[in-house]
Amino acid sequence: MCMPQSVRKAVIPAAGLGTRFLPITSAVPKPLLPVIDRPLIHYAVAELAAAGIHDIAMVLSPGFEAVAGYFEPNQTLMGALEERGDEERLAQLKAINDMAEITVIEQTEARGLGHAILMARNFIGDEPFAVLLPDDLIWSAAPAIAQLLGVSEEHGGSVLAAKRVAREAIPSLGIIDADPMGNDVHRVRGLIEKPSIEEAPSDLAIIGRYILTPGVFDRIEHGPAGALGEIQVTDAIAAAIGVEPVHACEFEGDHIDAGTPPGLFAANVYEERRRAMAS
Ligand code: UTP
């Protein structure tokens, strides 16, 4: 997509502890876990690049810079491929190096998603920006983040990705109270993090894609710390309702939360089948 757009920058928060993947995440950062032959972080950056966003901040835990290193040229490997005349693999690696301009930002303590986003305040400055969580994989004709960009171009303000989920999933997700406006867009009235099934206002859950306005930084900073002392972004977005437009976009595409071992396994199966069908 090459249309001029108001959202030029993105943040990929990737500094969580990854406790659900222990013990592997004690040595390998979760964003480097593979779906077939590329790490989760690859799919995240590729989606942003496909939506025309190439200026990307990765929020990482100290010592886990290898996540950004994946996008740096590996001279030894490239030299060896050149010598062998393996143009195809060489081109594949070069394409990865050219996908985006990456800035690494450290989050020294895992104090929650809101806190991770806050770390990127200076990088973003005073403009709307995208946030993409690498655990949430979405396969779609138009990149999911581009679908959200379309909603933000039309309505302004903040936009969240949304998906209808099974009742049992509700207590572990952020749930949206909203009025449908047609075309899979909803005007958001309220957001509630991990409600019980009884108190949930709907089955519409927040999925890890957002377009946020710079006002979110003050709202994160001045909002209360939520469960486990973690600073949530959901509360900061909820605080914007009534102040600026907040919409949910029920995106087109297949979503898998690869943030758990069964989820990552399902993502591998999906991707392998997709590639087999495409070949
Ligand atoms: P999760 O809630 O999945 O937490 O974070 P986690 O730490 O990654 O995994 P578990 O729960 O310990 O298994 C959602 C997203 O927010 C990022 C994570 O990297 C993930 O992309 N995150 C979370 C941060 O960047 N920093 C934090 O302090 C917390």
Side-chain angles (χ1 to χ4, degrees), residues 13-20 30 107 110-113 116 133-135:
L17 295 174
T19 44
R20 285 169 291 177
K30 183 169 64 170
Q107 186 190 23
R111 292 178 58 196
L113 175 57
L133 305 191
D135 292 0

Side-chain angles (χ1 to χ4, degrees), residues 13-266:
L17 295 174
T19 44
R20 285 169 291 177
F21 276 103
L22 282 170
I24 190 167
T25 41
S26 67
V28 180
K30 183 169 64 170
L32 287 184
L33 296 181
V35 174
I36 315 292
D37 53 2
R38 38 203 88 183
L40 287 170
I41 196 73
H42 176 113
Y43 296 88
V45 171
E47 182 179 326
L48 287 165
I53 300 178
H54 302 276
D55 200 358
I56 300 173
M58 276 178 199
V59 184
L60 302 173
S61 316
F64 277 15
E65 296 78 14
V67 177
Y70 171 79
F71 297 91
E72 297 288 327
N74 179 332
Q75 302 299 359
T76 316
L77 194 55
M78 287 171 117
L81 291 174
E82 234 160 71
E83 241 165 64
R84 287 184 199 172
D86 193 340
E87 294 299 331
E88 196 184 325
R89 289 202 172 88
L90 207 51
Q92 195 182 36
L93 289 183
K94 280 188 179 149
I96 293 170
N97 304 151
D98 292 344
M99 219 156 30
E101 185 69 41
I102 289 165
T103 302
V104 173
I105 296 174
E106 265 195 10
Q107 186 190 23
T108 46
E109 253 183 293
R111 292 178 58 196
L113 175 57
H115 182 257
I117 294 171
L118 189 57
M119 297 294 98
R121 185 176 203 157
N122 287 342
F123 168 81
I124 295 298
D126 196 25
E127 50 186 285
F129 61 102
V131 174
L132 192 150
L133 305 191
D135 292 0
D136 280 314
L137 287 172
I138 301 173
W139 292 264
S140 51
I145 200 75
Q147 298 178 45
L148 269 65
L149 283 174
V151 177
S152 91
E153 300 275 324
E154 191 177 343
H155 298 282
S158 305
V159 184
L160 305 96
K163 172 187 164 182
R164 301 219 174 263
V165 296
R167 269 167 63 85
E168 321 79 79
I170 285 175
S172 55
L173 294 166
I175 300 295
I176 304 168
D177 182 10
D179 297 316
M181 299 169 67
N183 290 329
D184 295 325
V185 178
H186 304 254
R187 187 179 294 111
V188 177
R189 286 193 304 200
L191 301 170
I192 171 163
E193 196 55 52
K194 302 183 172 63
S196 65
I197 292 175
E198 294 69 38
E199 65 181 333
S202 76
D203 62 351
L204 205 54
I206 306 171
I207 304 301
R209 304 281 184 280
Y210 308 82
I211 306 298
L212 300 177
T213 62
V216 77
F217 294 120
D218 275 344
R219 293 186 193 104
I220 293 171
E221 204 159 33
H222 301 127
L228 302 171
E230 287 201 345
I231 301 175
Q232 301 292 348
V233 72
T234 310
D235 299 333
I237 301 170
I241 298 167
V243 181
E244 61 173 42
V246 181
H247 291 89
C249 168
E250 236 182 294
F251 57 87
E252 170 280 319
D254 291 337
H255 162 252
I256 294 178
D257 175 4
T260 63
L264 186 67
F265 181 71

